[in-house]
Amino acid sequence: MANPELAIIPQHVAIIMDGNGRWANKRGLPRTIGHTKGVEAVRETVKAAGDAGVRYLTLFAFSSENWTRPEAEVHDLLGLLRRFIRRDLAELHRENIRIRVIGERENLRGDILPLLLEAEDTTRHNTGLTLVIAFNYGARNEIARAFAKLARDIESGALKASDIDVDSISRSLDTAGIPDPDLIIRTSGEERLSNFLLWQAAYSELVFLPDYWPDFDRNLFFEALKIFASRDRRFGGLSNKTAAVGG
Ligand code: IPE
Ligand code: IPE
Ligand code: MG
């Protein structure tokens, strides 16, 4: 990367795409227009992440708690996701993008799950950016399912209780095989994780931007990368700078 401010590119960026409703409200438009505009921001962000050399991009598309919204809004959100996969899958595939889906799959009705599985299957062997779509995702539910799986393995004799450690838990999560996010971005000025990647976020850098998601674009993505590059990640140890001067 020629720009020295972007010397450190995060391997995995995860985004809580928030503020579609407020973006629309501010303009006196129905919330659904905000969601529609949000899909354009998704397209731009996927391109920007690929261009920046990011390897994994996780997008929080629909949380396990979002079902509590009015039925009409849930319907609109599902419709947009369905259309995004139908319209964009071929191009994502052409761009060598691999799609992974995280979130609870049990009890999902309708055609959404088959569509998501088709997207995963079609792009399984691609070697470019991995686009992780968090759908019907809640981190506590993900962790509970991982524990239940480990417990079943112990019951069947495939695993011993003493085998349970950080690695075996990580391998039992929906994100198995995906490195933890280096950077988590949340738009809309809210500063919370809202049940997103709680286990994986242990050492993520958090960047909160005031902008609403429909206004997110390539420039804001690179702005967040710049903030990330300026951070001093210590992982509980000493910073490289401190270590260099002998503590
Ligand atoms: C993000 O925007 C989209 C989803 C959560 C699915 P919101 O719909 O949460 O927008 P605000 O937070 O109400 O502005
Ligand atoms: C988080 O946003 C979920 C997604 C972006 C899909 P919310 O808008 O649902 O979060 P809260 O309710 O403000 O915490
Ligand atoms: Mg919100």
Side-chain angles (χ1 to χ4, degrees), residues 186-242:
R186 183 172 188 145
T187 56
S188 89
E190 306 297 346
E191 302 191 355
R192 57 177 170 266
L193 287 176
S194 300
N195 205 12
F196 187 49
L197 301 176
L198 298 183
W199 172 275
Q200 299 86 341
Y203 270 103
S204 303
E205 293 297 329
L206 309 180
V207 169
F208 299 106
L209 300 175
D211 314 79
Y212 295 138
W213 178 251
D215 289 328
F216 195 79
D217 60 7
R218 186 180 191 86
N219 284 340
L220 284 172
F221 185 77
F222 278 87
E223 188 60 40
L225 293 191
K226 222 186 282 177
I227 296 170
F228 172 81
S230 74
R231 298 272 176 91
D232 185 15
R233 299 184 87 189
R234 291 189 284 272
F235 299 98
L238 298 183
S239 82
N240 288 336
K241 274 180 244 159
T242 316

Side-chain angles (χ1 to χ4, degrees), residues 150 154 158-168 171:
L150 289 166
I154 291 173
L159 202 72
K160 297 193 296 291
S162 57
D163 292 330
I164 295 190
D165 58 10
V166 168
D167 285 342
S168 58
R171 279 198 304 272

Side-chain angles (χ1 to χ4, degrees), residues 11-229:
Q11 189 182 17
H12 181 177
V13 178
I15 308 184
I16 303 171
M17 311 183 288
D18 199 14
N20 293 351
R22 280 164 284 168
W23 181 92
N25 245 340
K26 209 175 74 180
R27 290 164 174 76
L29 298 167
R31 291 176 60 85
T32 179
I33 305 287
H35 296 314
T36 307
K37 285 290 288 180
V39 178
E40 285 171 32
V42 166
R43 293 196 176 101
E44 190 163 337
T45 303
V46 171
K47 284 204 185 75
D51 293 347
V54 165
R55 300 295 304 156
Y56 296 85
L57 175 70
T58 298
L59 299 178
F60 202 0
F62 192 88
S63 82
S64 46
E65 288 77 32
N66 287 149
W67 297 105
T68 61
R69 295 190 179 194
E71 205 181 311
E73 178 159 350
V74 170
H75 181 266
D76 288 344
L77 284 166
L78 298 187
L80 282 170
L81 180 62
R82 190 180 285 122
R83 276 199 294 281
F84 173 71
I85 299 286
R86 287 210 182 114
R87 288 190 192 158
D88 290 46
L89 180 58
E91 185 176 348
L92 294 169
H93 188 36
R94 256 197 317 277
E95 298 284 331
N96 196 24
I97 290 171
R98 181 170 61 143
I99 294 174
R100 281 270 304 259
V101 179
I102 60 170
E104 162 97 81
R105 294 176 181 201
E106 289 288 305
N107 306 322
L108 282 179
R109 282 175 292 132
D111 60 349
I112 284 279
L113 185 61
L115 265 176
L116 290 171
L117 295 179
E118 182 197 330
E120 272 192 329
D121 205 50
T122 307
T123 61
R124 185 170 302 279
H125 299 294
N126 289 346
T127 54
L129 174 79
T130 297
L131 173 62
V132 184
I133 300 175
F135 173 73
N136 192 26
Y137 178 85
R140 286 179 164 182
N141 167 277
E142 177 192 34
I143 292 168
R145 283 186 288 108
F147 288 177
K149 179 187 172 295
L150 289 166
R152 281 195 302 276
D153 288 348
I154 291 173
E155 263 174 9
S156 75
L159 202 72
K160 297 193 296 291
S162 57
D163 292 330
I164 295 190
D165 58 10
V166 168
D167 285 342
S168 58
I169 293 173
S170 291
R171 279 198 304 272
S172 306
L173 295 168
D174 296 346
T175 50
I178 298 172
D180 289 340
D182 304 288
L183 166 63
I184 296 179
I185 301 168
R186 183 172 188 145
T187 56
S188 89
E190 306 297 346
E191 302 191 355
R192 57 177 170 266
L193 287 176
S194 300
N195 205 12
F196 187 49
L197 301 176
L198 298 183
W199 172 275
Q200 299 86 341
Y203 270 103
S204 303
E205 293 297 329
L206 309 180
V207 169
F208 299 106
L209 300 175
D211 314 79
Y212 295 138
W213 178 251
D215 289 328
F216 195 79
D217 60 7
R218 186 180 191 86
N219 284 340
L220 284 172
F221 185 77
F222 278 87
E223 188 60 40
L225 293 191
K226 222 186 282 177
I227 296 170
F228 172 81

